[in-house]
Short mmCIF file of all heavy atoms in Angstrom, two decimals:
data_model
loop_
_atom_site.label_atom_id
_atom_site.label_comp_id
_atom_site.label_asym_id
_atom_site.label_seq_id
_atom_site.Cartn_x
_atom_site.Cartn_y
_atom_site.Cartn_z
N ALA A 172 47.71 113.93 104.80
CA ALA A 172 47.59 115.10 103.88
C ALA A 172 47.18 116.29 104.75
O ALA A 172 47.52 117.42 104.36
CB ALA A 172 46.48 114.81 102.94
N THR A 173 46.61 116.07 105.87
CA THR A 173 46.14 117.28 106.78
C THR A 173 47.05 117.48 108.03
O THR A 173 46.89 118.49 108.62
CB THR A 173 44.68 117.09 107.15
OG1 THR A 173 44.64 115.80 107.81
CG2 THR A 173 43.78 116.95 105.93
N LYS A 174 47.75 116.47 108.40
CA LYS A 174 48.49 116.55 109.64
C LYS A 174 49.83 115.92 109.56
O LYS A 174 49.98 114.72 109.29
CB LYS A 174 47.71 115.85 110.80
CG LYS A 174 48.29 115.94 112.14
CD LYS A 174 47.47 115.26 113.22
CE LYS A 174 48.05 115.35 114.52
NZ LYS A 174 47.31 114.65 115.63
N PRO A 175 50.85 116.72 109.78
CA PRO A 175 52.30 116.13 109.77
C PRO A 175 52.53 115.41 111.06
O PRO A 175 52.13 115.90 112.15
CB PRO A 175 53.16 117.44 109.67
CG PRO A 175 52.38 118.57 110.18
CD PRO A 175 50.95 118.20 109.94
N TYR A 176 53.24 114.30 110.92
CA TYR A 176 53.62 113.62 112.23
C TYR A 176 54.82 112.76 111.84
O TYR A 176 54.79 111.77 111.02
CB TYR A 176 52.41 112.63 112.70
CG TYR A 176 52.69 111.93 113.99
CD1 TYR A 176 53.03 112.63 115.05
CD2 TYR A 176 52.55 110.56 114.09
CE1 TYR A 176 53.32 112.10 116.26
CE2 TYR A 176 52.75 109.92 115.33
CZ TYR A 176 53.10 110.74 116.40
OH TYR A 176 53.32 110.12 117.59
N VAL A 177 56.00 113.12 112.42
CA VAL A 177 57.30 112.41 112.22
C VAL A 177 57.86 112.03 113.52
O VAL A 177 57.97 112.83 114.50
CB VAL A 177 58.23 113.43 111.46
CG1 VAL A 177 59.52 112.68 111.08
CG2 VAL A 177 57.51 113.97 110.24
N LEU A 178 58.41 110.81 113.58
CA LEU A 178 59.17 110.27 114.72
C LEU A 178 60.52 109.87 114.34
O LEU A 178 60.79 109.43 113.20
CB LEU A 178 58.40 108.98 115.33
CG LEU A 178 56.96 109.19 115.77
CD1 LEU A 178 56.37 107.96 116.26
CD2 LEU A 178 56.83 110.26 116.94
N ARG A 179 61.47 109.96 115.25
CA ARG A 179 62.77 109.39 115.03
C ARG A 179 63.04 108.33 116.09
O ARG A 179 62.85 108.49 117.27
CB ARG A 179 63.80 110.66 115.28
CG ARG A 179 65.27 110.07 115.04
CD ARG A 179 66.31 111.13 115.01
NE ARG A 179 66.55 111.69 116.45
CZ ARG A 179 66.28 112.87 116.85
NH1 ARG A 179 65.91 113.71 115.83
NH2 ARG A 179 66.58 113.28 117.97
N ALA A 180 63.47 107.08 115.56
CA ALA A 180 63.78 106.03 116.38
C ALA A 180 65.37 105.64 116.45
O ALA A 180 65.93 105.56 115.45
CB ALA A 180 63.04 104.80 115.89
N ASN A 181 65.76 105.73 117.64
CA ASN A 181 67.21 105.29 117.96
C ASN A 181 67.24 103.88 118.44
O ASN A 181 66.55 103.63 119.50
CB ASN A 181 67.85 106.25 118.97
CG ASN A 181 67.99 107.68 118.44
OD1 ASN A 181 68.19 107.93 117.25
ND2 ASN A 181 67.71 108.73 119.29
N ILE A 182 67.89 103.07 117.76
CA ILE A 182 67.88 101.63 118.05
C ILE A 182 69.23 101.15 118.76
O ILE A 182 70.29 101.58 118.22
CB ILE A 182 67.76 100.70 116.80
CG1 ILE A 182 66.52 101.12 115.97
CG2 ILE A 182 67.61 99.24 117.14
CD1 ILE A 182 65.23 100.99 116.70
N SER A 183 69.07 100.58 119.93
CA SER A 183 70.17 100.04 120.68
C SER A 183 70.07 98.51 120.90
O SER A 183 69.00 98.02 121.01
CB SER A 183 70.31 100.78 122.05
OG SER A 183 70.54 102.09 121.91
N VAL A 184 71.17 97.81 120.78
CA VAL A 184 71.20 96.32 120.93
C VAL A 184 71.54 95.97 122.35
O VAL A 184 72.45 96.57 122.92
CB VAL A 184 72.16 95.71 119.97
CG1 VAL A 184 72.19 94.17 120.10
CG2 VAL A 184 71.85 96.05 118.55
N ILE A 185 70.78 95.05 122.99
CA ILE A 185 71.07 94.49 124.29
C ILE A 185 71.94 93.22 124.07
O ILE A 185 71.38 92.27 123.48
CB ILE A 185 69.73 94.16 125.06
CG1 ILE A 185 68.84 95.33 125.11
CG2 ILE A 185 70.08 93.75 126.48
CD1 ILE A 185 67.46 95.06 125.68
N GLN A 186 73.10 93.20 124.64
CA GLN A 186 74.10 92.15 124.40
C GLN A 186 74.70 91.69 125.66
O GLN A 186 74.85 92.49 126.59
CB GLN A 186 75.13 92.60 123.37
CG GLN A 186 74.85 92.66 122.01
CD GLN A 186 76.00 92.98 121.14
OE1 GLN A 186 76.74 93.84 121.50
NE2 GLN A 186 76.25 92.26 120.04
N LYS A 187 74.92 90.36 125.76
CA LYS A 187 75.68 89.80 126.86
C LYS A 187 77.17 90.10 126.61
O LYS A 187 77.55 90.62 125.62
CB LYS A 187 75.46 88.39 127.01
CG LYS A 187 74.09 87.99 127.41
CD LYS A 187 73.96 86.50 127.72
CE LYS A 187 72.53 86.11 128.19
NZ LYS A 187 72.44 84.65 128.44
N GLU A 188 77.99 89.72 127.70
CA GLU A 188 79.49 89.98 127.49
C GLU A 188 80.04 89.09 126.43
O GLU A 188 80.99 89.39 125.75
CB GLU A 188 80.16 89.62 128.88
CG GLU A 188 79.76 90.68 129.97
CD GLU A 188 80.43 90.28 131.26
OE1 GLU A 188 81.19 89.24 131.33
OE2 GLU A 188 80.27 91.05 132.29
N THR A 189 79.36 87.99 126.21
CA THR A 189 79.80 87.06 125.12
C THR A 189 79.45 87.57 123.75
O THR A 189 79.87 86.94 122.76
CB THR A 189 79.18 85.65 125.36
OG1 THR A 189 77.70 85.73 125.28
CG2 THR A 189 79.62 85.10 126.69
N GLY A 190 78.62 88.60 123.68
CA GLY A 190 78.24 89.15 122.36
C GLY A 190 76.85 88.56 121.92
O GLY A 190 76.47 88.93 120.89
N PHE A 191 76.21 87.76 122.71
CA PHE A 191 74.95 87.18 122.33
C PHE A 191 73.95 88.22 122.46
O PHE A 191 73.82 88.96 123.45
CB PHE A 191 74.61 86.00 123.17
CG PHE A 191 73.27 85.29 122.97
CD1 PHE A 191 73.21 84.54 121.85
CD2 PHE A 191 72.13 85.55 123.64
CE1 PHE A 191 71.95 83.93 121.53
CE2 PHE A 191 71.01 85.02 123.39
CZ PHE A 191 70.88 84.09 122.36
N VAL A 192 73.15 88.39 121.35
CA VAL A 192 72.02 89.47 121.31
C VAL A 192 70.85 89.05 122.09
O VAL A 192 70.21 88.00 121.78
CB VAL A 192 71.67 89.81 119.89
CG1 VAL A 192 70.53 90.79 119.83
CG2 VAL A 192 72.96 90.36 119.17
N ASN A 193 70.56 89.78 123.21
CA ASN A 193 69.38 89.48 124.00
C ASN A 193 68.05 90.10 123.48
O ASN A 193 66.91 89.71 123.82
CB ASN A 193 69.59 89.82 125.43
CG ASN A 193 70.12 88.60 126.25
OD1 ASN A 193 70.24 87.50 125.65
ND2 ASN A 193 70.55 88.83 127.41
N GLY A 194 68.18 91.23 122.74
CA GLY A 194 67.10 92.06 122.35
C GLY A 194 67.42 93.37 121.83
O GLY A 194 68.68 93.72 121.60
N LEU A 195 66.44 94.13 121.69
CA LEU A 195 66.55 95.61 121.16
C LEU A 195 65.83 96.50 122.11
O LEU A 195 64.92 96.20 122.75
CB LEU A 195 65.98 95.78 119.79
CG LEU A 195 66.65 94.90 118.68
CD1 LEU A 195 65.81 95.07 117.31
CD2 LEU A 195 68.09 95.34 118.38
N ILE A 196 66.38 97.79 122.12
CA ILE A 196 65.81 98.97 122.84
C ILE A 196 65.58 100.02 121.69
O ILE A 196 66.56 100.45 121.08
CB ILE A 196 66.69 99.49 123.95
CG1 ILE A 196 66.66 98.45 125.04
CG2 ILE A 196 65.96 100.77 124.46
CD1 ILE A 196 65.40 98.25 125.90
N ALA A 197 64.29 100.45 121.54
CA ALA A 197 64.13 101.51 120.61
C ALA A 197 63.52 102.72 121.34
O ALA A 197 62.57 102.51 122.20
CB ALA A 197 62.99 101.13 119.55
N VAL A 198 64.13 103.81 121.17
CA VAL A 198 63.72 105.11 121.88
C VAL A 198 63.25 106.04 120.78
O VAL A 198 63.90 106.35 119.83
CB VAL A 198 64.94 105.73 122.51
CG1 VAL A 198 64.51 107.01 123.22
CG2 VAL A 198 65.58 104.86 123.56
N LEU A 199 61.93 106.42 121.00
CA LEU A 199 61.23 107.20 120.04
C LEU A 199 61.13 108.66 120.45
O LEU A 199 60.84 109.01 121.61
CB LEU A 199 59.70 106.74 119.89
CG LEU A 199 59.60 105.19 119.41
CD1 LEU A 199 58.09 104.83 119.36
CD2 LEU A 199 60.38 104.93 118.21
N HIS A 200 61.43 109.52 119.48
CA HIS A 200 61.34 110.96 119.79
C HIS A 200 60.34 111.60 118.73
O HIS A 200 60.44 111.23 117.51
CB HIS A 200 62.68 111.69 119.57
CG HIS A 200 63.82 111.03 120.37
ND1 HIS A 200 64.06 111.42 121.71
CD2 HIS A 200 64.75 110.13 120.08
CE1 HIS A 200 65.11 110.67 122.11
NE2 HIS A 200 65.45 109.91 121.19
#
């Protein structure tokens, strides 16, 4: 109510060449 605070998160997927998902990378702004 007293302080604005907004973040934007860009999500990228870490994948092997086979398409297997190894994890995620989230970049916060």
Side-chain angles (χ1 to χ4, degrees):
T173 58
K174 184 179 179 182
Y176 188 50
V177 183
L178 301 178
R179 183 176 67 241
N181 295 321
I182 308 297
S183 299
V184 180
I185 306 172
Q186 285 182 313
K187 291 184 176 181
E188 294 180 357
T189 58
F191 181 78
V192 176
N193 268 352
L195 296 173
I196 294 289
V198 181
L199 305 180
H200 307 275

